Amino acid sequence: LAINSAEEIQNLSKRLNPEFQEQVAKLADDLDVDQSFNPVAGKKTGDIDIETGFPVGEVKNKARMIEKVDEKYNGDFSQLTDGIRTRIVVETPTEEIMVAKRIAEKFPSVDGERILMNKSGYLDRKLNVQFTGKNGETVIGEIGIITRPMLDGAQKAHPIYEAFRKANFGLSPTATPIQIRMEGL
């Protein structure tokens, strides 16, 4: 399926999101771990996003899709890997490994392994999964695995992250770290 616009990928994501969230919630329940969502644009997790009709963080907003595709994928919307997304909250590294293994057993996956963003200290593990709905449509989604303390910290810091990202959108790829820092401030 060729995806040529934010509207197309968002519509596909909205069609498949209910099934995706249901299947991930069942997996989380089976493993006795919690599911959570990404904070978005200062909105509270759990609120309904007016644009998507789903809880905040489940389906990516069009404006952010466009921004991300322009930044990372040279305008190719078919490369977007988080039109639908969720998080699973773990308490221990053993749980993280177990959850990642079960996700990979359930969905064709690319496991990004554990990533530490050195400057911010943010740490999580993201798996991009191929999700196929009952209607036969397929989309790539994202399941983040995060510890509870990191989730709590991320929710508090997300407004700062969004402000920094917006301030730096369009900044030259050759910008020096000092220029980026000054623009962020």
Side-chain angles (χ1 to χ4, degrees):
L1 179 66
I3 301 290
N4 298 306
S5 70
E7 185 171 359
E8 287 178 33
I9 190 72
Q10 190 184 63
N11 287 338
L12 174 65
S13 297
K14 288 187 330 188
R15 284 192 301 274
L16 295 178
N17 185 57
E19 284 181 74
F20 173 73
Q21 298 298 340
E22 181 180 300
Q23 287 189 28
V24 174
K26 182 173 180 347
L27 184 142
D29 285 347
D30 290 349
L31 296 173
D32 197 29
V33 293
D34 293 331
Q35 188 178 8
S36 184
F37 302 97
N38 298 325
V40 176
K43 299 172 188 166
K44 284 178 48 180
T45 301
D47 286 351
I48 299 299
D49 184 305
I50 294 169
E51 179 182 323
T52 68
F54 291 102
V56 167
E58 287 187 11
V59 175
K60 189 176 280 299
N61 290 325
K62 285 184 210 171
R64 179 61 183 136
M65 286 180 177
I66 292 166
E67 181 181 23
K68 190 169 189 177
V69 166
D70 285 346
E71 276 178 13
K72 294 185 173 187
Y73 307 121
N74 200 28
D76 183 358
F77 284 91
S78 69
Q79 297 296 309
L80 190 70
T81 59
D82 62 349
I84 55 176
R85 63 247 172 109
T86 191
R87 287 178 170 161
I88 293 180
V89 183
V90 297
E91 304 299 332
T92 67
T94 302
E95 278 187 354
E96 176 189 321
I97 292 166
M98 175 187 62
V99 168
K101 182 178 182 216
R102 286 289 294 275
I103 290 168
E105 289 170 357
K106 183 160 186 63
F107 306 105
S109 303
V110 173
D111 187 343
E113 296 294 327
R114 185 181 278 191
I115 301 286
L116 172 64
M117 295 181 178
N118 289 328
K119 290 187 179 187
S120 68
Y122 180 78
L123 174 73
D124 74 358
R125 182 175 189 164
K126 288 187 174 64
L127 286 87
N128 291 118
V129 299
Q130 179 180 317
F131 179 75
T132 303
K134 292 177 187 171
N135 64 5
E137 291 182 302
T138 300
V139 69
I140 303 299
E142 178 183 277
I143 303 173
I145 305 172
I146 190 168
T147 63
R148 188 163 314 283
M150 189 59 63
L151 175 67
D152 293 344
Q155 288 178 340
K156 289 177 186 170
H158 202 270
I160 298 165
Y161 161 72
E162 283 193 351
F164 181 80
R165 188 185 72 219
K166 286 178 181 166
N168 289 293
F169 179 63
L171 195 62
S172 166
T174 60
T176 67
I178 292 171
Q179 288 171 310
I180 293 170
R181 183 176 180 280
M182 293 308 295
E183 183 72 17
L185 291 173

